[in-house]
Amino acid sequence: MERYREIEKDIPISNRTNAKYVELAKKMEVGDSILFKTDKEAVSMTNAIRLTHGKCVNGTATVKTFAKRVQKENGKLIGYRVWRKA
């Protein structure tokens, strides 16, 4: 049975690289923050917050919806903290 070029219904979209971050961002309230081990994870989260809570006019963000900071403990890098601001 050939399956190419046939329309299929109810096939879930899965394994999007940022799906887990989008789901986290949807659950966040203004003022909530998450600590990530890597900068790559933190950037993915900021993008997810921007996608789920941002406002754009003509493709330009009008509200900065997140903050990201390096977090240290006793002078040693422990991760990257991301907040939802709006």
Side-chain angles (χ1 to χ4, degrees), residues 10-19:
D10 300 318
I11 305 297
I13 299 172
S14 62
N15 296 330
R16 289 187 339 186
T17 56
N18 69 338

Side-chain angles (χ1 to χ4, degrees), residues 2-77:
E2 188 175 321
R3 297 170 60 187
Y4 299 104
R5 294 189 220 144
E6 292 180 11
I7 295 173
E8 297 180 75
K9 306 277 188 201
D10 300 318
I11 305 297
I13 299 172
S14 62
N15 296 330
R16 289 187 339 186
T17 56
N18 69 338
K20 63 183 173 185
Y21 299 104
V22 169
E23 290 307 311
L24 277 173
K26 287 178 182 177
K27 295 176 184 176
M28 291 179 80
E29 297 178 10
V30 174
D32 288 351
S33 70
I34 301 174
L35 179 65
F36 293 95
K37 193 171 194 172
T38 68
D39 185 55
K40 183 177 178 181
E41 292 174 305
V43 168
S44 293
M45 190 68 216
T46 60
N47 288 335
I49 292 171
R50 188 182 293 126
L51 282 171
T52 56
H53 302 291
K55 295 179 175 85
C56 292
V57 174
N58 296 326
T60 303
T62 58
V63 175
K64 186 170 179 187
T65 55
F66 67 90
K68 182 182 107 174
R69 300 285 181 271
V70 170
Q71 187 154 341
K72 294 182 178 183
E73 193 171 275
N74 298 323
K76 182 181 175 190
L77 174 70

